[in-house]
Amino acid sequence: KWPARFHLTADLVALTIADGALQVAVVQRDSELACIDQKRNGDVQEIERDLKHHWALPGGHVDYQNEDIDEAAARELREETKIEVDETLLVQVGAYGNLGRDPRPGRTVSVAYLAFQPMFSEPIAGTDAKSARFMPVLELLTEPNRLEFDHEAMLIDAIQKVRDLVLTTSVATSFCPSEFTLSELREVYEVLWHRAYDKEISSKERQKFVAEMREYTSDENFQFLSSL
């Protein structure tokens, strides 16, 4: 009979490497307002949605009666993007519950999960998502694009998590097809450890890297981001 003041959600970071760059599945929520941390100080506010530049990681509320949190993460990805993942292979990144992370009524804590593989199915928007796609991580982390809530922190933390796993396990091969060359495996390491994905890098430095990426990817003589 108590009113719902405390909410639990699950978000999913689906990473892959395509065209020599790290990419992630994102959705655009079917809402006229976007929840953006405009000053990047942890104070998220609802503002008018920019249909070209405001994106979010797939995610949503956990069914508190019938669902584990990792099940919710896989379900939300499936419902919002039509991408299927094995929930037993998901890696937990962390829990996010800072006071200012969600301006909507109640207190919301989110548990972020990570999924990575060489290729996912093509995203198709569903349920409360207006659109869904894979985008280069660097594009999402630099202006004019913005991720909603604290999804930027989740994404950066997920990349650090992958780096840690690569150093201690054979997980790097999860980014490669079933048969791969040493060059393809080396590309995984070069992409993941590109300085542009470092947690400590400044926005100005990251903006420089994305400008270089745009220049190379628009050139007929495309070169891997890792070669910059």
Side-chain angles (χ1 to χ4, degrees):
K1 295 181 180 180
W2 290 92
R5 296 192 180 96
F6 209 99
H7 309 285
L8 179 63
T9 60
D11 292 299
L12 201 138
V13 183
L15 288 175
T16 191
I17 293 176
D19 298 328
L22 200 56
Q23 304 208 12
V24 65
V26 289
V27 299
Q28 194 166 79
R29 295 190 302 119
D30 189 11
S31 169
E32 293 182 358
L33 298 177
C35 297
I36 303 295
D37 183 357
Q38 296 187 79
K39 297 180 179 179
R40 286 191 169 90
N41 62 358
D43 184 21
V44 177
Q45 300 292 328
E46 285 188 303
I47 63 173
E48 184 178 353
R49 178 174 299 283
D50 183 333
L51 295 177
K52 289 185 177 180
H53 302 120
H54 289 164
W55 299 90
L57 297 173
H61 284 78
V62 178
D63 182 339
Y64 75 97
Q65 289 181 313
N66 303 308
E67 200 170 42
D68 289 335
I69 307 176
D70 52 355
E71 291 175 338
R75 173 184 57 76
E76 286 290 343
L77 181 68
R78 180 176 64 253
E79 290 180 353
E80 294 190 350
T81 69
K82 308 302 181 187
I83 294 175
E84 299 274 356
V85 293
D86 184 346
E87 66 196 48
T88 64
L89 300 179
L90 298 181
V91 177
Q92 190 176 124
V93 178
Y96 298 79
N98 289 346
L99 283 171
R101 69 177 302 272
D102 192 334
R104 298 171 300 180
R107 175 83 180 274
T108 302
V109 173
S110 181
V111 180
Y113 287 86
L114 168 67
F116 42 85
Q117 56 193 59
M119 185 178 296
F120 292 92
S121 59
E122 188 69 22
I124 302 173
T127 60
D128 59 349
K130 184 178 293 186
S131 62
R133 59 184 293 190
F134 273 93
M135 288 183 66
V137 169
L138 265 184
E139 290 283 359
L140 289 165
L141 295 179
T142 51
E143 303 291 350
N145 293 306
R146 292 300 299 271
L147 281 167
E148 294 196 65
F149 307 105
D150 48 5
H151 289 183
E152 182 175 310
M154 288 183 188
L155 178 54
I156 293 174
D157 288 346
I159 296 171
Q160 310 312 310
K161 185 73 172 181
V162 174
R163 287 177 171 181
D164 292 341
L165 290 171
V166 165
L167 291 176
T168 57
T169 71
S170 59
V171 80
T173 59
S174 299
F175 285 97
C176 299
S178 55
E179 293 185 5
F180 56 88
T181 65
L182 284 176
S183 294
E184 289 172 321
L185 183 59
R186 183 179 65 187
E187 181 195 355
V188 172
Y189 284 83
E190 291 176 343
V191 169
L192 286 175
W193 263 274
H194 193 284
R195 175 158 168 71
Y197 305 123
D198 288 355
K199 200 167 186 174
E200 300 79 13
I201 192 173
S202 69
S203 297
K204 186 177 181 180
E205 285 181 284
R206 193 174 278 130
Q207 197 80 39
K208 176 185 174 183
F209 282 126
V210 80
E212 291 175 344
M213 183 185 74
R214 288 167 182 160
E215 178 183 347
Y216 275 81
T217 54
S218 63
D219 195 299
E220 290 182 0
N221 300 315
F222 175 79
Q223 297 188 33
F224 287 139
L225 173 63
S226 58
S227 69
L228 293 175

